[in-house]
Amino acid sequence: MGWMFGAGLGMLMGGPLGAVIGGAFQHYLGKGTQGVRPQSSPHRRDEAVFVTYLATIMTKIAMADGRVDPGEVKTIHRFFERELGFSGMDLRFIDALIDQTRRVNPDLGQIALSFRSVGNREQTLLLMDICYRIAMADGKITVSEQKELDFLASHLGVNREEHQRIKNRYRAGEYKTSVQDYAAMDDYTALGISRSASNDEIKKAYRQMASQYHPDKVSHLGKELIDFANKKFKEITGAYENVKKERGFV
């Protein structure tokens, strides 16, 4: 990936993330990286802004019960490392953002409203999906976590139908032992619908989710997020093809 953080983040310094980003940079630059200069292409800026919001919001969701235990920090760290391929300086900056978010404890509502000013619909839904993924990492979503996720969806402007579909994908899989178990979720759950859904409802769900996760929709967010979206897109498309075959519709 290369060093990208810092590119485009100046626009966030004065908003609800200002103290988080400022503190993270101070901590990070104290590690002997002062000589590294960020790249500042438009795609790098978009990626840096999205990832900064994502790391901060993920940490806030983990703080829903009033604390962030080491296991939750490790889960967030592992997501960026394994799912997005972060390493080296990029991963260390993520850790600095997590730590600074815990210290500053910024208001989740303000962060969400700020994200709405820079993110599009596909980015917003991708962010919500990832937050559910992290909340479910220990096998269940607690009452306090669900309350925060509902609050986040409301302030991000996610409509009820879209939010319910994301919620269905994860709540249906509660008490699985790990995030990796979602690779084995049934086809209906993958589409965020019940087995009683009509064929038209299934088609609608697929169209919306295919649009949400199509790699072209996040092409400006960098290779790592494109690859992540592509995996999700293939999962959804495969599930839809299986359901079509099962039900015999085209």
Side-chain angles (χ1 to χ4, degrees):
M1 179 190 302
W3 170 247
M4 70 168 192
F5 296 103
L9 296 186
M11 63 180 289
L12 304 179
M13 293 295 286
L17 291 183
V20 172
I21 295 170
F25 271 122
Q26 283 187 340
H27 172 79
Y28 186 72
L29 293 176
K31 299 295 185 180
T33 59
Q34 293 91 332
V36 181
R37 295 186 178 277
Q39 301 178 31
S40 58
S41 69
H43 284 188
R44 286 298 189 188
R45 289 195 296 271
D46 290 341
E47 184 179 6
V49 169
F50 179 84
V51 168
T52 300
Y53 273 110
L54 177 61
T56 303
I57 291 174
M58 288 165 72
T59 306
K60 283 291 296 182
I61 297 299
M63 295 171 65
D65 58 359
R67 61 188 294 271
V68 183
D69 63 46
E72 289 172 317
V73 172
K74 185 177 181 180
T75 296
I76 297 172
H77 176 105
R78 189 165 55 237
F79 172 82
F80 283 98
E81 181 180 26
R82 294 183 180 178
E83 298 290 344
L84 299 187
F86 281 31
S87 62
M89 292 179 290
D90 292 326
L91 194 55
R92 288 197 292 274
F93 189 74
I94 291 294
D95 291 338
L97 282 173
I98 294 170
D99 184 64
Q100 189 63 11
T101 300
R102 296 168 65 188
R103 293 174 184 272
V104 175
N105 193 19
D107 181 78
L108 180 60
Q110 291 185 5
I111 296 171
L113 291 173
S114 178
F115 179 82
R116 289 182 69 174
S117 69
V118 299
N120 60 28
R121 173 179 174 273
E122 288 75 28
Q123 291 177 39
T124 299
L125 295 176
L126 181 62
L127 186 149
M128 279 300 308
D129 190 288
I130 292 172
C131 285
Y132 266 92
R133 190 181 181 92
I134 292 299
M136 276 295 298
D138 60 354
K140 62 184 177 66
I141 297 176
T142 66
V143 173
S144 57
E145 286 172 337
Q146 188 60 64
K147 184 177 179 180
E148 286 290 85
L149 288 164
D150 290 343
F151 180 84
L152 175 63
S154 174
H155 282 68
L156 286 174
V158 177
N159 70 46
R160 183 175 299 180
E161 182 180 18
E162 290 171 329
H163 184 202
Q164 189 62 49
R165 188 166 292 119
I166 295 172
K167 186 184 297 187
N168 289 346
R169 284 169 55 81
Y170 292 96
R171 297 304 306 233
E174 280 197 328
Y175 306 108
K176 288 179 182 288
T177 58
S178 72
V179 171
Q180 285 73 25
D181 285 338
Y182 288 103
M185 70 171 65
D186 70 73
D187 297 319
Y188 289 89
T189 299
L191 293 170
I193 54 176
S194 70
R195 287 186 171 271
S196 62
S198 68
N199 290 350
D200 286 342
E201 288 172 331
I202 292 169
K203 292 176 183 179
K204 181 180 179 181
Y206 171 70
R207 285 195 300 269
Q208 290 183 344
M209 295 191 73
S211 174
Q212 174 185 338
Y213 293 111
H214 197 287
D216 288 349
K217 299 291 185 178
V218 295
S219 61
H220 57 299
L221 296 181
K223 181 181 183 300
E224 291 75 20
L225 284 160
I226 292 172
D227 290 345
F228 179 77
N230 191 48
K231 287 190 295 184
K232 302 282 284 184
F233 180 75
K234 288 181 178 178
E235 171 192 309
I236 292 162
T237 300
Y240 181 61
E241 292 299 323
N242 289 340
V243 172
K244 284 201 305 180
K245 183 177 180 180
E246 174 190 325
R247 292 201 174 198
F249 69 84
V250 293

